[in-house]
Amino acid sequence: MNLDLQIATAMPDLPPAADFETWARTALQDETRRGLVIRIVDEAESRRLNRDYRGRDKPTNVLSFPFEAPPEVPDEHLGDLVICAAVVRREAAEQGKVEAHHWAHMVIHGVLHLRGHDHQDDAEARIMENLETELLAGLGLPNPYMETP
């Protein structure tokens, strides 16, 4: 896998690059020959992208931008993830989760979107959540959808 990790935020104490690679490889499963960009951003960039591409004028945890190559171009790039560090940190604290576990969940969640998974209806959501939970468990991490104390 060719991972391009871009840090576009001044937020300290982000997970190490090796963790991002592990989480992405886990979600890629059999597609590790494909490239991926993970861009870690501040709230302003997340808000702008969320507004421009999803019509929601607020920052969000993760945005997924699948790459669709023209027929004559080799399909070697899966797409780009944009993850807002401040939102991930805030959500982890609010949900009583270990921050690194929430980072892992957001990377896996985003990569699954790039691979075509979605959660627009209940059936799709169950499939995606079950796969996320299985992949995280393979890393020794808890189910992110369980109630926290």
Side-chain angles (χ1 to χ4, degrees):
M1 172 188 67
N2 180 19
L3 174 62
D4 179 5
L5 180 62
Q6 302 174 359
I7 307 298
T9 179
M11 180 167 282
D13 303 321
L14 296 173
D19 287 353
F20 285 101
E21 185 164 344
T22 296
W23 302 328
R25 279 187 186 282
T26 297
L28 284 169
Q29 297 176 305
D30 60 342
E31 294 192 51
T32 56
R33 64 173 175 73
R34 301 183 74 191
L36 171 68
V37 171
I38 299 178
R39 182 171 173 85
I40 311 302
V41 301
D42 58 20
E43 287 182 293
E45 185 172 343
S46 176
R47 179 179 181 178
R48 181 178 54 77
L49 291 168
N50 200 24
R51 180 191 63 229
D52 293 352
Y53 290 95
R54 296 180 65 222
R56 298 180 181 169
D57 193 17
K58 63 180 185 176
T60 189
N61 51 23
V62 61
L63 292 166
S64 302
F65 297 96
F67 177 68
E68 295 180 22
E72 67 278 2
V73 175
D75 190 15
E76 296 174 357
H77 185 70
L78 185 62
D80 300 354
L81 296 182
V82 177
I83 304 176
C84 182
V87 172
V88 172
R89 183 164 287 166
R90 184 169 50 251
E91 286 177 346
E94 290 170 353
Q95 297 169 20
K97 295 178 179 175
V98 173
E99 189 175 321
H101 296 179
H102 196 47
W103 274 105
H105 181 211
M106 292 300 94
V107 171
I108 287 172
H109 181 88
V111 171
L112 291 179
H113 273 304
L114 294 177
R115 295 186 65 213
H117 292 274
D118 214 333
H119 47 81
Q120 295 301 312
D121 62 45
D122 290 344
E124 287 178 337
R126 272 191 303 281
I127 291 167
M128 189 169 178
E129 289 172 7
N130 287 341
L131 184 52
E132 290 169 353
T133 300
E134 177 184 313
L135 293 171
L136 289 164
L139 295 170
L141 302 180
N143 181 338
Y145 297 103
M146 298 299 293
E147 294 280 331
T148 55

